[in-house]
Amino acid sequence: MTSQTGLQVPVPPALDRCRSLVEPALTTAVRSLHPLPRLMTSFSLGWCDADGRPTAAPGGKGIRQALAVLGAEAVGAPGDLAVPAAVAVELVHTFSLVHDDIMDGDERRRHQESAWKAFGTGPAVLTGDALFALAVRTLAGAGGDHSGTAVRHLAEAMGELVHGQADDLVFESRPWVGPDAVGIPEYQAMAARKTGALLGCSAALGPVLAGAPPLLVGALSEAGRQLGLAFQAVDDLLGIWGDPATTGKPVHSDLRRRKKTLPVLAAMALDPAAARHLVGLLGSGMPVDADDAYRAAAVVEEAGGREFALEDARRHVASARECLRAVPLAERAADEIAEIAEYLLDRRL
């Protein structure tokens, strides 16, 4: 992975360390599924191809499972206490991606076909349902005095995630201009639910299982939520300007789908002339071809939409760091969370 400076951005060692701790339990959980959703889950996680053959295809970064482990360590608990939480949030994240690709019609995910494209819509819906059920069962089976509270946290995050996803779907049918147009504050409220809620929950579940004081749980939850907002802003940048070799999706993919993302909404708010141009390119309801998408990307950048989204991501990363500094946490774990935050910010091109 490279930053906009062209320099290699190192993967934080905490991601690999936490993955090594969590993956055996994640593998065991997935093996408990029916053979069909087991195969589709393994495929979605990058463990195998559509025929079940082991593959070296890149899977996810493991951000959420790492936050669960580091959250526990940040409040002085051993990381392995949070393994059930880490497995649960990884399963929920995978479930959300499987269903999100169906809703968006995305045919590619992580440099391979998306689950619904490879196996069919019905099996993909079923696999998402199976993953959700498995996540709840895994977390409920964590044991201890606080697993019930942890399940409630996960349920609340899932409710927010669904709320945010519903808003995102509704935005697609909203007009580009006028009183019913989607504004930046409304978009960011959607992102806080769709992306921020699960990252906030990930950072909170380890502390919850450890019985940490509400002050620490709340600070870590808010840090994770801020990281989620930064993550979404960078995702929006990648959806327009990301290198297909990095993203696994075509260049300008979000513009081709006429998505109302943060850079586009910011460009329209910052420059009325750009807004008119973008409405002409994206608001007709007709398919957006490669040339129109290229022109729209240039308009968004010239109007300041790209820089606005990048500054927004930086602001949320800074807010996450402030949350970590505001309460007494184990220094190493807090530093590792902050390092992950910077890594998320630099996953641009």
Side-chain angles (χ1 to χ4, degrees):
M1 182 176 297
T2 56
S3 71
Q4 286 186 338
T5 64
L7 299 176
Q8 191 72 21
V9 177
V11 177
L15 290 181
D16 288 335
R17 177 174 69 83
C18 294
R19 185 189 300 276
S20 296
L21 180 64
V22 173
E23 192 150 307
L26 179 61
T27 301
T28 298
V30 171
R31 284 176 179 164
S32 73
L33 292 169
H34 180 281
L36 177 58
R38 182 197 311 153
L39 170 61
M40 294 180 64
T41 298
S42 299
F43 172 82
S44 298
L45 289 168
W47 297 349
C48 69
D49 64 17
D51 294 318
R53 294 185 294 262
T55 178
K61 291 169 284 297
I63 300 295
R64 291 154 190 82
Q65 59 182 279
L67 287 178
V69 171
L70 294 174
E73 293 177 348
V75 299
D80 56 7
L81 177 75
V83 166
V87 170
V89 295
E90 190 67 21
L91 293 172
V92 167
H93 177 53
T94 305
F95 142 69
S96 72
L97 296 181
V98 170
H99 279 192
D100 192 53
D101 285 342
I102 296 169
M103 287 182 277
D104 289 344
D106 281 345
E107 298 184 357
R108 303 289 295 176
R109 168 72 63 181
R110 295 172 179 168
H111 304 276
Q112 62 183 8
E113 287 186 320
S114 54
W116 74 266
K117 183 66 175 177
F119 296 93
T121 301
V125 171
L126 180 66
T127 294
D129 293 344
L131 287 169
F132 175 54
L134 180 59
V136 174
R137 188 171 80 232
T138 299
L139 188 56
D145 296 332
H146 307 288
S147 59
T149 303
V151 170
R152 286 195 295 275
H153 272 262
L154 183 64
E156 289 168 3
M158 278 300 307
E160 285 197 76
L161 190 157
V162 171
H163 187 141
Q165 182 64 51
D167 281 341
D168 199 24
L169 284 175
V170 170
F171 288 175
E172 293 180 9
S173 60
R174 295 265 296 274
W176 284 91
V177 293
D180 293 327
V182 179
I184 291 174
E186 191 176 9
Y187 180 86
Q188 290 180 320
M190 178 277 294
R193 295 185 178 105
K194 180 182 175 182
T195 308
L198 187 57
L199 277 157
C201 178
S202 300
L205 283 182
V208 167
L209 288 175
L215 178 68
L216 301 187
V217 173
L220 285 159
S221 176
E222 183 58 25
R225 188 177 290 267
Q226 292 296 321
L227 290 185
L229 284 161
F231 190 99
Q232 185 62 56
V234 175
D235 239 27
D236 288 352
L237 290 166
L238 289 170
I240 299 177
W241 295 284
D243 182 352
T246 299
T247 66
K249 295 183 179 181
V251 67
H252 303 149
S253 60
D254 280 355
L255 294 174
R256 297 288 295 270
R257 292 166 46 206
R258 301 191 300 276
K259 283 186 70 71
K260 298 177 178 74
T261 60
L262 184 60
V264 176
L265 296 176
M268 295 181 69
L270 291 166
D271 187 336
R276 291 190 294 271
H277 198 171
L278 289 168
V279 169
L281 290 169
L282 306 177
S284 68
M286 300 297 291
V288 178
D289 62 23
D291 289 340
D292 283 346
Y294 180 85
R295 284 192 286 271
V299 171
V300 171
E301 184 160 13
E302 289 167 8
R306 181 173 184 163
E307 186 59 28
F308 181 97
L310 182 56
E311 284 301 317
D312 185 73
R314 289 173 176 150
R315 178 171 60 84
H316 288 299
V317 166
S319 294
R321 295 181 73 106
E322 289 174 9
C323 291
L324 298 174
R325 289 194 293 263
V327 293
L329 298 173
E331 184 175 358
R332 177 186 172 186
D335 286 347
E336 287 178 320
I337 295 172
E339 187 177 27
I340 289 173
E342 297 300 328
Y343 172 70
L344 291 181
L345 190 60
D346 271 325
R347 64 184 189 101
R348 295 196 292 276
L349 299 177

